[in-house]
Amino acid sequence: MLRVAVVGSGPSGVYAAQTLVQQREVPGIRVDVLDRLPAPYGLVRYGVAPDHEKIKSLQCSLRTVLEDERIRFLGNVEVGGPQLTTERLLELYHAVVYCVGAARDRMLGIPGEELAGVHSATAFVAWYSGHPDAEGEAFDLPGVGSAVVVGAGNVAVDVTRMLARGEPELAPTDMPQPALGALADSGVKSVSMVARRGPSQGKFTTKELRELGTLPGVAAVVDPAELALDPAYTDQGTAAALPAVARRNLEALRGWAEQDPGGDARRRIALRFYLRPVEVLGGPDGRVAGMRFERTAPDGRGGVAGTGVYEDIEAQLVLRSVGYQGVPLPGLPFDPAKATVPHAAGRVMRAGRASVGEYVAGWIKRGPTGVIGTNRPCAKETASSLLQDAGALARRELPGDPLDALRAAGLHPVEWPGWLAIEAAEADLGRSLGRRSVKIPDWTGLLGAAAAGA
């Protein structure tokens, strides 16, 4: 029997586990899916916005995989720390597949970024999604009238939308009660989502972009003069050469530019283009008071160049959303330039050679690119490499059930019944608040619920 550990229970990890147990070439594979958190599903639980219920419903598919009798979920297990090194993990399993994502957000690298009131979109998402690592995060939303979101991807769209939504639309979600209360008391009246390049180069998808224009009591506006700077916006021939998503995005923005800005709206979202952040401006209280941007213009080579013209935008809250980076996992090789683990078709490479029994899938393998579905072919490629190596891997004798060794090391794995107990506790919490299931947002609450169920 081939024993495999998959580190990470998000889509890439679950797809890797599914591929391994459903193939027929190598019978008898058993997979343990390990996660640092006591709850499974990774970014589907803690990264997808709570008001995107259709995408969050993917948890049902992931759940079906994790309930397979050949797969065992072991949460609350941190790999790479003193209790469980990567070397020790490989001693317990024939093979290990690392699906640990890209945990760090990119910095803007500009003066004033350290001011109070400047946060990463990652931290904001973790807070309103109930990630236990965000316990203690504070967002002074009642004191915020204007917010700036720097970025032009779906995460930037998500945090912009969450700042603009009202309590009636958020109450039916599984958002933790403290985050719901803070957003309900928010003083935000305007949100500027700012990109340094043009609308045809935005990384957001059309569905998410259009959603900004349908929020109750919210006016989504765009400056026609900024749109006109984009050659693809004004030249039909240039636009025709764009990918379909970019063409649809331009059409959505064209509609906004032609509509009534909605002066009686409760809140306002302004999409700004061709503005490069150069400084976060502070107030006398040491908090952020605004941002300074330099106007950019197309350089004729697909990029932009500064024009020497500057504009300040008022803000009491700044969220940067300019991408993610992988972080080194102690014991694994790491390419700092690409922020990924070096690999060949998913096989971890050490000093130019494939490391026997070690594999990667997901963002730590390819970088933070693609959508959730992109993880499926990525995981299949890695699983295929592992299966090709299965004959050699299975020759090594293992010391016994890895779960016993994890417990002997002082770890307290949360198994599937513990996760079901967390689910039940969150359903009870929701009922007590007159809502549907509500996330438990702290480590103590999650582990307490899991222990009570186990």
Side-chain angles (χ1 to χ4, degrees), residues 45-46 125-134 176 439-442 446:
R45 174 174 166 91
Y46 289 118
V125 170
W127 171 73
Y128 68 59
S129 295
H131 196 296
D133 287 349
K439 281 181 185 167
I440 297 171
D442 60 279
L446 289 168

Side-chain angles (χ1 to χ4, degrees), residues 228-301:
L229 291 173
D230 193 328
Y233 184 78
T234 55
D235 180 55
Q236 294 297 322
T238 304
L242 292 173
V245 171
R247 293 198 304 271
R248 290 195 294 266
N249 288 344
L250 288 178
E251 287 307 308
L253 292 168
R254 194 184 306 277
W256 290 1
E258 296 171 352
Q259 71 183 11
D260 186 324
D264 59 346
R266 172 177 50 89
R267 286 179 176 148
R268 181 177 180 271
I269 295 173
L271 272 72
R272 304 295 309 277
F273 297 97
Y274 292 113
L275 292 172
R276 179 176 66 88
V278 296
E279 184 181 0
V280 181
L281 305 174
D285 58 355
R287 295 185 58 84
V288 60
M291 283 197 73
R292 178 162 296 160
F293 295 88
E294 181 184 15
R295 168 68 63 192
T296 62
D299 62 6
R301 299 185 301 274

Side-chain angles (χ1 to χ4, degrees), residues 4-21 31-35 40-44 58 61-62 65-66 71-73 96-101 359-366 372 374-380 382-383 386:
V4 178
V6 171
V7 182
S9 65
S12 62
V14 174
Y15 293 151
Q18 181 182 37
T19 302
L20 289 170
V21 300
V31 178
D32 284 351
V33 177
L34 280 55
D35 203 293
Y41 312 137
L43 282 178
V44 178
L58 177 62
S61 299
L62 301 181
V65 176
L66 292 175
I71 295 174
R72 180 168 59 177
F73 172 72
V96 181
V97 184
Y98 292 95
C99 307
V100 292
Y359 305 83
V360 285
W363 279 3
I364 199 63
K365 170 187 173 184
R366 67 180 192 275
I372 290 175
T374 311
N375 289 294
R376 191 179 290 277
C378 172
K380 284 186 175 181
T382 296
L386 191 158

Side-chain angles (χ1 to χ4, degrees), residues 1-308:
M1 179 175 68
L2 192 71
R3 280 195 176 274
V4 178
V6 171
V7 182
S9 65
S12 62
V14 174
Y15 293 151
Q18 181 182 37
T19 302
L20 289 170
V21 300
Q22 289 185 350
Q23 55 76 41
R24 298 181 180 180
E25 294 83 2
V26 182
I29 292 183
R30 294 294 182 269
V31 178
D32 284 351
V33 177
L34 280 55
D35 203 293
R36 186 178 69 86
L37 299 175
Y41 312 137
L43 282 178
V44 178
R45 174 174 166 91
Y46 289 118
V48 175
D51 61 338
H52 275 180
E53 293 190 7
K54 185 175 181 180
I55 303 175
K56 289 180 74 69
S57 68
L58 177 62
Q59 292 184 37
C60 297
S61 299
L62 301 181
R63 181 192 194 97
T64 299
V65 176
L66 292 175
E67 287 180 332
D68 189 298
E69 62 182 8
R70 297 163 293 184
I71 295 174
R72 180 168 59 177
F73 172 72
L74 300 176
N76 195 37
V77 175
E78 183 170 7
V79 176
Q83 292 175 295
L84 184 60
T85 64
T86 54
E87 293 83 1
R88 177 54 175 161
L89 186 62
L90 192 54
E91 291 173 359
L92 301 177
Y93 293 88
H94 293 110
V96 181
V97 184
Y98 292 95
C99 307
V100 292
R104 182 171 59 203
D105 63 282
R106 296 180 184 273
M107 302 289 287
L108 295 172
I110 60 175
E113 197 168 1
E114 75 289 347
L115 287 170
V118 180
H119 305 268
S120 70
T122 307
F124 191 61
V125 170
W127 171 73
Y128 68 59
S129 295
H131 196 296
D133 287 349
E135 185 181 4
E137 283 279 2
F139 293 89
D140 181 26
L141 297 181
V144 175
S146 300
V148 167
V149 177
V150 181
N154 277 348
V155 175
V157 173
D158 279 348
V159 298
T160 296
R161 189 181 66 256
M162 298 304 290
L163 285 169
R165 275 210 185 277
E167 184 183 17
E169 300 114 70
L170 295 175
T173 73
D174 64 358
M175 179 182 290
Q177 190 68 19
L180 177 64
L183 286 166
D185 294 337
S186 169
V188 172
K189 299 300 180 186
S190 68
V191 184
S192 298
M193 192 176 103
V194 186
R196 66 182 180 88
R197 300 199 291 177
S200 67
Q201 296 164 311
K203 300 299 183 183
F204 37 70
T205 51
T206 311
K207 180 178 180 296
E208 279 66 28
L209 175 64
R210 286 176 174 159
E211 193 173 2
L212 294 179
T214 63
L215 302 178
V218 177
V221 299
V222 63
D223 186 346
E226 289 182 351
L227 297 181
L229 291 173
D230 193 328
Y233 184 78
T234 55
D235 180 55
Q236 294 297 322
T238 304
L242 292 173
V245 171
R247 293 198 304 271
R248 290 195 294 266
N249 288 344
L250 288 178
E251 287 307 308
L253 292 168
R254 194 184 306 277
W256 290 1
E258 296 171 352
Q259 71 183 11
D260 186 324
D264 59 346
R266 172 177 50 89
R267 286 179 176 148
R268 181 177 180 271
I269 295 173
L271 272 72
R272 304 295 309 277
F273 297 97
Y274 292 113
L275 292 172
R276 179 176 66 88
V278 296
E279 184 181 0
V280 181
L281 305 174
D285 58 355
R287 295 185 58 84
V288 60
M291 283 197 73
R292 178 162 296 160
F293 295 88
E294 181 184 15
R295 168 68 63 192
T296 62
D299 62 6
R301 299 185 301 274
V304 293
T307 64

Side-chain angles (χ1 to χ4, degrees), residues 312-368:
D312 293 350
I313 299 179
E314 178 189 348
Q316 296 80 44
L317 172 70
V318 171
L319 299 176
R320 63 176 182 271
S321 180
V322 291
Y324 296 92
Q325 288 180 310
V327 296
L329 185 66
L332 279 188
F334 189 74
D335 181 344
K338 297 180 179 178
T340 58
V341 171
H343 72 94
R347 294 182 178 91
V348 172
M349 302 296 287
R350 294 181 182 270
R353 292 189 173 187
S355 177
V356 177
E358 293 184 305
Y359 305 83
V360 285
W363 279 3
I364 199 63
K365 170 187 173 184
R366 67 180 192 275

